[in-house]
Amino acid sequence: MPQRKRYLFVCVNRRPDGTPKGSCAQRSAVEIHAALKDGLKDRGLAKTEVRACTSSCLDVCWAGPVIAVEPDGYFYGRVTLEDVPELLESLANGTRVERLVLPSNDFDEKTSGPPLPAPKPKPAEGQEP
């Protein structure tokens, strides 16, 4: 298999519920990773162009879910499932989604922008919300 041009490291780290800075997994990173993998495969990019991998903590929890894009050397942050189609399109075109690229101030929790809220847990089957 040839080396791919780009690797996406999607943080799927999970911290205990109630941890102040939260975690990427609590903000749907596992589902984002799965959607990226499926979308890359559907577009024929997975085997030659881009590989979506899971990662443990990338140390930018407050800006999660985060994705490190290598070898390009930038991070996407505050990624949602709704962003996946735009990310896939940019990967197919060799561009990046500038609105999701983390600025330097986001790498320090004290100067970072606000985090995404963690989604509300879904009620168990048979229970009302």
Side-chain angles (χ1 to χ4, degrees), residues 5 36 43 46 51 59 71 74 79-80 83 88 90 109 115 119 125 128:
K5 294 178 183 173
L36 284 168
R43 288 172 175 260
R51 169 100 165 120
D59 292 328
Y74 61 89
V79 177
T80 67
D83 295 321
L88 291 168
S90 73
E109 188 173 12
E125 191 173 319
E128 292 191 30

Side-chain angles (χ1 to χ4, degrees), residues 49-64:
E49 298 295 316
V50 185
R51 169 100 165 120
C53 309
T54 59
S55 169
S56 62
C57 187
L58 294 171
D59 292 328
V60 204
C61 312
W62 48 87

Side-chain angles (χ1 to χ4, degrees), residues 82-126:
E82 291 76 23
D83 295 321
V84 170
E86 188 177 0
L87 288 168
L88 291 168
E89 186 66 26
S90 73
L91 291 161
N93 295 330
T95 60
R96 64 187 203 174
V97 181
E98 294 298 331
R99 68 180 178 79
L100 295 175
V101 174
L102 288 182
S104 59
N105 64 295
D106 269 332
F107 288 90
D108 183 338
E109 188 173 12
K110 294 178 186 126
T111 60
S112 177
L116 289 177
K120 302 270 188 232
K122 294 178 184 170
E125 191 173 319

Side-chain angles (χ1 to χ4, degrees), residues 11-15 22-31 64-65 118-119:
C11 175
V12 294
N13 190 56
R14 181 175 299 280
R15 288 199 168 73
S23 67
C24 292
Q26 291 168 329
R27 296 184 182 110
S28 303
V30 174
E31 295 82 0

